[in-house]
Amino acid sequence: MAKKRQYSCRFLGFPDAHGIGSFSVLGVSMAALSAALFVMPASAQETEAEDATNRLGTVTVTARKVEENLQDVPVSVTAFTGELLAEKGVVEVADIAAFTPGFTTREANSNSTALVFSLRGQLQNDVLATLDPSVGTYVDDVYWARAYGLNFNLLDMESVQVLKGPQGTLFGRNTTGGALVFTSAKPDASAISGKGSVTLGNLNAQVYEGVLNLPVVTDRIAVRAAVRQSNRDGYITDLISGEEYNDRDITNARLKVLIAPHDDVELILSAEVYDEDMNGPGYGTIFGTGLTGAFLAGISPVPPVGPIPVAVPGYTDVVNSSGGDSVALDGDPFLTATAQTYSGVLNWDIGPGTLKLVAGDRRISSRTRTDLDGFAFPAGAGDSLHITTTVLDLSQTSFEAQYAGQGMNDRLQYVMGGTWFEETGFDATLTDLRVVPNPVILRFFGDVDTKSIGLYGQGTYDLTDRLRATVGLRYSEDEKGITTFNGNSIAGSDVFVSCSGGQAPPNCAETYSDTYDDLSYTFGLDFKPTANTLVYGKFSHGYRSGGQNLRLNGTADLDFDPETVDEFEAGFKGDLADNRVRFNVSAFTNKVKDAQRSIIVVVGSGNATVVQNAAEMTNTGLELEATVIPAEGWTLQGSAAVIDTSYDEYVDAGQDVSDRRIIGVPESEFALAATYERPLSFAKFMARIDYAWRDSYYNNELAPSAPASTPALQEAITAPASDVLNARLGLSFENGWDVSLWGRNILDDRSKLTGLYLGNFGYVSGRFREPATYGVTASYRFGAE
């Protein structure tokens, strides 16, 4: 059993000046709950004569598949309204993560349009078609199995919700860490409205966005169209070719149609497209050892003229200090990604409840070429090393039927339903190795076919006027099938010369199928001491489907087991001081069994990513959020999180490896924001500043005790503690015009975000945080927008 880590006050950003010493995370939660309860009487000190506009409003969420007040939901949720997203200038999911305690997001190593999420110690750190995420994504009620295109997809949003912890019942499979719920604005059949905006910024950034809402038949039929086009120059220079990497050219559009033939029936149809092209990404070498003859960008000086040095004499361990602004590549990297998403949602009020039918179809396609090593080899040493090309085409179809109603004299509120899901397609990776006598292409191809069904039901019963009990149950069944074509070919040929598995050339085909099932559940109690406070406790069992290793290499297990999580959470929610203070806190501890770990293994002269199970791990943490209106026009916000996470048991090839690093989980973080609004004679003035700090976290599981480990290497695989400061100044005019000046990452924190370590080649490469950006946005709104 791993030793339990203790935390001091410093993890929340404050010095332990009073010698209080350390305390456990759950101990802090009890103190916070007690303190919150004691401050409740402060509301009596407020007078009715004060301006009622200086109160916190109601935030509506659908964390339990029905609309509820955030403060009445016995679940840990961080919610953002569309208005708040606009106020923050949020267009990326990463911005949401910065202000959601315990939530971390970063771009996938193989594709920057796809995101990997970390929540409550749960992480899916790869985006293979055979590896399901531990944090589920739902957009307009449709489950997105793959997060491609989500990075910049916050177009015309009504709300974004982050549900924390295993969503074992209502959101079901593959949500052992939590769920992201995105809801785009729906058409309004009552009036014409719309908005348009133009943003100009440094790096020659240009963003054009438009939204138009048109009633076709008053109160019955309406159409809403939204489109955004975003482009920007690159900021990473290739010292060899002069190319600029990490530019941006993104188009995102959505069309929604509302049809309401009757007051009790509503049908919403949606079609969305996403398209991105990028020159890059530009990986840089962060660390290298023993690569005699290699040229490392930012380490070996580049001569203004003449050939690239043939060798870097005498170095053993080197670390790139270029800050990510320059690289020297030989792979001509590029990225393209497209996604098409179609959905239909029918809401039908039937008697005491509502029937909802949700149908979805989503197709994604991506092509990338990445110079993963981040350096160039000189003439005579070969043309390239680890030039990796990925090709992905996937289609998913889903259907869900749901009924939400009330019974037992309205003391029982319940939701029940069923889901069906299928995903088919192709995922392929080719890695070019040309530093061996016979240049080799490592080929990993997989045809996947996944089918899933789920049946669920959850009910909340009012035991008394203040005490409620919730019980939920879900059955999930997943059938995973795959045909792989894995092996080696000689560079310049598509013919396999050897196979990675047990088959033989020429096609190396192997076909496998497995079926997994699980019974997930949740139960909890919540109590309202006053009308504006809530105390709750709940226990949830969550499940993430198992699967097969797409990159089967002859040494890894063919398949990996499902992952299950048992979590207990206790929390407090309160609107205090006459609704001028909102304070929410939750403490949790979870036990993960057969945790799915994506690791890199050696395959001949190359590498492959495979998934294996760690027997057991434990995560314990505390999350809190607060919003305060101290005076007219002012709003202050803060959030913080701490987590202790460790492997209790992890055996690999008969060896105890429980001291391996846990990837992508910072131990602590906090965020602060202040907003000031004031009416002027000609406009409304708004100023906002926000700051987010996040502790260091690991990008690779290499343990300090591993034979290859050195202090320099451990530093290279660690994303250091980082902070981001953003600011925004704006004027909103009564004639519909808005103008704002903004800056992002004003402190220009350029710390590294990722670090890809390939041990048999002895290097770490990665990417760094984007530089400071700034600009101006002008927008015009009309109607009810």
Side-chain angles (χ1 to χ4, degrees), residues 636-654:
L636 306 178
Q637 295 171 293
S639 64
V642 292
I643 187 170
D644 171 63
T645 181
S646 61
Y647 290 115
D648 302 322
E649 184 180 351
Y650 191 175
V651 176
D652 182 16

Side-chain angles (χ1 to χ4, degrees), residues 418-581:
T419 64
W420 176 85
F421 172 89
E422 182 174 14
E423 182 181 41
T424 59
F426 185 79
D427 192 335
T429 302
L430 295 84
T431 300
D432 194 343
L433 301 175
R434 300 199 178 187
V435 292
V436 291
N438 295 314
V440 173
I441 303 292
L442 302 181
R443 298 178 177 272
F444 298 101
F445 294 78
D447 281 319
V448 299
D449 186 358
T450 297
K451 295 181 178 66
S452 175
I453 61 170
L455 297 172
Y456 63 85
Q458 181 168 303
T460 297
Y461 183 74
D462 297 338
L463 299 172
T464 69
D465 291 342
R466 296 186 177 186
L467 181 65
R468 298 183 301 179
T470 298
V471 177
L473 193 66
R474 181 188 186 104
Y475 173 75
S476 300
E477 182 177 284
D478 296 281
E479 182 181 330
K480 295 286 190 76
I482 186 172
T483 299
T484 61
F485 307 87
N486 297 339
N488 298 335
S489 67
I490 300 300
S493 170
D494 293 333
V495 179
F496 286 107
V497 295
S498 63
C499 299
S500 297
Q503 302 301 313
N507 63 5
C508 301
E510 298 183 80
T511 300
Y512 310 93
S513 179
D514 294 280
T515 300
Y516 309 93
D517 59 24
D518 186 77
L519 194 63
S520 304
Y521 49 86
T522 186
F523 56 85
L525 292 171
D526 63 269
F527 177 70
K528 292 183 73 69
T530 70
N532 294 327
T533 59
L534 177 74
V535 180
Y536 68 91
K538 73 181 185 75
F539 181 86
S540 298
H541 172 84
Y543 154 83
R544 176 155 63 138
S545 173
Q548 301 93 13
N549 273 304
L550 186 152
R551 297 169 182 169
L552 182 66
N553 58 24
T555 61
D557 291 334
L558 165 64
D559 55 10
F560 51 91
D561 294 330
E563 173 184 271
T564 60
V565 179
D566 292 322
E567 178 176 284
F568 175 75
E569 176 184 323
F572 168 84
K573 295 183 177 185
D575 284 351
L576 315 171
D578 197 19
N579 288 341
R580 281 184 166 84
V581 175

